Amino acid sequence: MESVIVAIDGPSGTGKSSTSKAVAAKLGLSYLDTGAQYRAITWWMISNGIDTDDPAAVADAAGKPAIVSGTDPSHPAITVDGVDASGPIRTPEVTAKVSAVSAVPEIRTRITELQRSIAAAAPQGIVVEGRDIGTTVLPDADLKIFLTASPEARAARRAGELKGADVSATREALIKRDAADSTRKTSPLAKADDAVEVDTTELTLQQVVECVVTLVEEKRTAAR
């Protein structure tokens, strides 16, 4: 296996981004944050006055924005129509609307095609993180990981990232997001049958990274 494709899925707050970036950097692989792409197209919809609660309006505009994702794990940039969107896509407004936009089939088709093309173009391989990578986007990935953690642990982590956000409110928001992502008709959040589940509740980031790196190395050895 000269190159390796690693799919890391799971709900918010399980450590997907931190783990994926660290694993990619350690193994010399490219990195793709698929959630950022959905956030980017959601931000574009909001900025251009599209009603994100109107699936038909969202579908009509799905092909309009030009989204370019950087794959350097140390500096994962993303631009929309040539504008750096790294900061704007992390606002509470985008967070509140991204599930609705992401549920529109035309949006998922557009972004899935983009994700597959990026993965196919990664020369050494890539770590792709999201919610439907192992099940829909890259079902033939060499290694599939599904990260989990208790709602309390996830809320505490996310509140820390948001610098002082209310943990209880954050927990409720995460549970609401989980429900929306897990029950949408198109590519719901789900663990692939052949994915390795890793519960990160009691683990440090370093321990999770070491676990995934070991799994990748084992997969590479088995393929030789």
Side-chain angles (χ1 to χ4, degrees):
M1 194 189 312
E2 294 183 357
S3 65
V4 61
I5 293 179
V6 182
I8 299 184
D9 291 308
S12 299
T14 54
K16 286 198 310 293
S17 294
S18 299
T19 298
S20 299
K21 282 186 280 191
V23 169
K26 195 162 187 175
L27 295 175
L29 304 175
S30 297
Y31 160 76
L32 178 61
D33 177 358
T34 64
Q37 295 175 315
Y38 285 106
R39 284 177 170 273
I41 203 164
T42 300
W43 174 65
W44 184 91
M45 296 282 171
I46 295 169
S47 301
N48 285 272
I50 307 298
D51 182 358
T52 56
D53 291 321
D54 182 350
V58 171
D60 286 343
K64 293 183 179 179
I67 299 172
V68 178
S69 298
T71 58
D72 180 349
S74 60
H75 300 287
I78 186 163
T79 64
V80 181
D81 292 341
V83 177
D84 179 8
S86 303
I89 65 172
R90 303 296 174 183
T91 63
E93 184 179 18
V94 170
T95 299
K97 297 178 182 295
V98 67
S99 284
V101 173
S102 300
V104 177
E106 290 81 358
I107 292 291
R108 299 209 75 82
T109 297
R110 162 90 197 281
I111 300 299
T112 295
E113 290 173 353
L114 179 60
Q115 292 162 359
R116 287 174 177 162
S117 66
I118 292 171
Q124 301 302 317
I126 191 169
V127 178
V128 184
E129 59 137 315
R131 287 171 169 74
D132 65 341
I133 310 307
T135 54
T136 301
V137 180
L138 300 169
D140 295 324
D142 300 300
L143 177 65
K144 301 174 187 178
I145 306 289
F146 193 84
L147 299 185
T148 64
S150 70
E152 292 72 24
R154 294 165 53 208
R157 292 170 185 167
R158 185 49 53 91
E161 293 171 2
L162 299 175
K163 295 181 173 60
D166 181 75
V167 175
S168 178
T170 301
R171 180 179 181 277
E172 292 306 311
L174 287 175
I175 291 174
K176 183 177 180 181
R177 175 83 189 271
D178 289 350
D181 290 345
S182 300
T183 58
R184 64 173 176 245
K185 293 182 179 180
T186 305
S187 302
L189 164 66
K191 175 188 170 186
D193 292 339
D194 54 346
V196 178
E197 183 169 325
V198 179
D199 188 335
T200 69
T201 302
E202 302 294 337
L203 301 179
T204 64
L205 172 60
Q206 187 58 39
Q207 288 173 321
V208 179
V209 172
E210 289 175 358
C211 174
V212 175
V213 167
T214 298
L215 289 168
V216 174
E217 296 294 6
E218 288 175 350
K219 184 67 70 170
R220 278 177 158 168
T221 300
R224 289 192 181 112

